[in-house]
Amino acid sequence: MAKFKCHTVMTFQLSHHEKSSCLGERFSCACHDFSATVSPPGMNRKRALISDPFKVKKSRNVTEKFGAASEGDGPTDVRSTLEYLMTLFPRKLFNDTLPQIVLKHQLYSIHSDKTLVDKELNKLREQGELLMFQLGFDAEAFGLIFASDYKAKVLAGEEGRGTRAAVEKFLGKVVSSCTDLSFSKDKMIREFLFTDPEITQLVKSGVLTVRDAGSWWLSIPNSGKFTKYFLQGRKAVLGMVKKSKYSEVLKAELEERRTPSQVKFHMKYHIHDILGAELVESIPTTSGTLLRFVDS
């Protein structure tokens, strides 16, 4: 580093030879006196070593949670997020016979604090506003439905059926007051006062499904088609990401792509699924959120 003290502002250039000869020395000019001071060779290295710890280092493979809340244009509380995700459920696809279903992990695509999400969901369940179901195709897959929607759809499906009385009793005594995901025969008979024939009717109606000998899961009647369409849609969307260049694609681009026939749901419904289930990574870029396929 050269430091020059000059009486008059002037422009000058030194040849390569002159630069070499002046290092570490004093030199004079016929027109004006000036001095040059050059730092010792080791000084720059010392300064670099001192300043390095204060530099902000960019970490590699930075990922963030994608979702309406993180983008600043959507719900920021768990209940509002639930309501937003419910709007993505395709009611017409099932002739409006199914209640709106959201998977619990879809909320994790919007709220990164899973503990907070679970806590808020438990509050809604304890208040009787929300029901949770084990969906069966994955031990970690839990469906969420607003209790009022579930009851309305179940009763509509029971119109004119011989199982209606048992189902009404079940909705009033069990669903309205219990947050259990499954029920044993002993609990159904002793605590909720159901008879064996009534339990058989509940299984027939679809509000209970067999878990193992002597116990049943709380279930969603006629949800088999939902599971089928959901899984084939997930597979197709993941395939779209994987087949993209470098197995990654901008979220905005994926949302606008023409979907194959296997995708029956709204593309955003599947994006929240694959992100919440951590089947893809979400990476912020200057061009927008990038989704990258995760090898299992």
Side-chain angles (χ1 to χ4, degrees):
M1 178 180 71
K3 181 178 179 183
F4 299 93
K5 181 179 180 182
C6 188
H7 297 294
T8 304
V9 177
M10 62 181 294
T11 302
F12 62 90
Q13 293 182 332
L14 295 178
S15 68
H16 177 72
H17 175 72
E18 289 172 323
K19 289 178 182 177
S20 300
S21 63
C22 76
L23 294 176
E25 302 177 343
R26 288 183 176 276
F27 59 92
S28 60
C29 177
C31 297
H32 299 280
D33 292 329
F34 63 94
S35 62
T37 305
V38 179
S39 301
M43 183 63 72
N44 287 336
R45 182 173 178 276
K46 289 180 179 178
R47 286 178 179 170
L49 290 173
I50 293 172
S51 60
D52 278 349
F54 297 96
K55 290 181 180 178
V56 178
K57 297 182 179 179
K58 294 182 179 179
S59 60
R60 297 180 180 179
N61 299 323
V62 177
T63 61
E64 69 175 3
K65 289 289 184 182
F66 151 76
S70 65
E71 293 180 350
D73 59 356
T76 56
D77 65 276
V78 172
R79 185 187 177 87
S80 295
T81 301
L82 264 174
E83 293 171 346
Y84 157 69
L85 291 171
M86 294 287 185
T87 65
L88 303 178
F89 183 82
R91 277 187 180 272
K92 291 182 180 180
L93 183 63
F94 305 103
N95 297 317
D96 203 26
T97 58
L98 284 182
Q100 292 171 305
I101 305 169
V102 166
L103 282 80
K104 185 173 76 166
H105 65 256
Q106 286 178 308
L107 279 81
Y108 299 155
S109 71
I110 296 176
H111 301 282
S112 58
D113 190 339
K114 295 181 181 180
T115 302
L116 175 62
V117 170
D118 292 349
K119 182 179 179 181
E120 292 302 310
L121 291 178
N122 286 336
K123 283 183 182 178
L124 292 172
R125 293 176 64 208
E126 289 167 2
Q127 292 166 2
E129 295 183 57
L130 189 70
L131 301 176
M132 188 159 77
F133 304 79
Q134 164 57 252
L135 294 180
F137 59 84
D138 189 318
E140 297 301 317
F142 297 97
L144 301 170
I145 300 175
F146 283 120
S148 58
D149 195 17
Y150 177 78
K151 293 176 182 178
K153 289 295 183 287
V154 168
L155 288 175
E158 286 295 310
E159 194 66 40
R161 299 182 64 184
T163 54
R164 184 180 176 90
V167 169
E168 286 181 337
K169 179 180 176 181
F170 180 75
L171 294 177
K173 275 197 168 188
V174 181
V175 174
S176 297
S177 62
C178 185
T179 60
D180 292 351
L181 298 182
S182 65
F183 310 94
S184 66
K185 182 175 182 178
D186 185 66
K187 188 168 187 175
M188 288 292 291
I189 292 175
R190 292 177 179 273
E191 185 174 337
F192 297 119
L193 305 178
F194 281 87
T195 63
D196 280 329
E198 285 177 325
I199 294 174
T200 300
Q201 290 181 343
L202 294 177
V203 174
K204 184 179 179 181
S205 70
V207 294
L208 288 181
T209 187
V210 176
R211 178 180 181 179
D212 51 39
S215 68
W216 303 268
W217 291 110
L218 176 65
S219 65
I220 310 163
N222 306 310
S223 59
K225 189 177 287 187
F226 162 78
T227 301
K228 176 185 175 181
Y229 288 163
F230 172 77
L231 291 177
Q232 72 180 28
R234 171 194 274 187
K235 183 178 179 180
V237 173
L238 280 174
M240 293 170 70
V241 178
K242 189 175 182 180
K243 291 175 183 177
S244 299
K245 190 175 182 180
Y246 305 122
S247 295
E248 56 190 32
V249 62
L250 287 171
K251 177 185 72 68
E253 180 186 332
L254 184 62
E255 289 176 354
E256 297 301 320
R257 278 191 186 180
R258 184 176 179 179
T259 56
S261 60
Q262 297 94 328
V263 179
K264 308 290 187 184
F265 297 173
H266 196 297
M267 178 60 82
K268 288 185 178 180
Y269 191 91
H270 284 299
I271 290 176
H272 284 296
D273 163 52
I274 61 178
L275 276 167
E278 299 180 350
L279 301 175
V280 296
E281 287 181 295
S282 174
I283 304 168
T285 73
T286 55
S287 301
T289 302
L290 186 73
L291 306 181
R292 177 180 294 160
F293 182 79
V294 176
D295 289 317
S296 56

